[in-house]
Amino acid sequence: MDEGAAVGTAAPGRGRRVLGWLLTPGVVWAAAFVGGWLGALLAGAGSSPESGIRWMVAGGVAGGSVALVFWVWRLTKAGRSTKSVSPTD
């Protein structure tokens, strides 16, 4: 019975990890969208359209990259912590 209990307690952690990896594209897309929006705000209304597009692209790339690195770091950290909490019996 102890083996069944160990398998049952590991399943929710595995499910959360899989869900986190499946959410990765959405998280990165949202961060890139916000970064692009902030880049467009920084460009201001007085600058040329080309400059505005450059700022928007730079903001999107920066936001998406930072979000991807943070999200993957968070998922790998969560994976390590669930292993250390799992029962040893």
Side-chain angles (χ1 to χ4, degrees), residues 32-85:
F33 182 83
V34 171
W37 182 73
L38 290 173
L41 282 179
L42 285 174
S47 63
S48 68
E50 292 86 11
S51 174
I53 290 174
R54 285 188 189 110
W55 274 98
M56 184 178 68
V57 169
V61 168
S65 299
V66 168
L68 180 63
V69 168
F70 175 74
W71 188 254
V72 169
W73 172 78
R74 180 72 178 116
L75 287 176
T76 56
K77 180 181 174 192
R80 281 184 264 140
S81 66
T82 54
K83 288 179 186 175
S84 65
V85 176

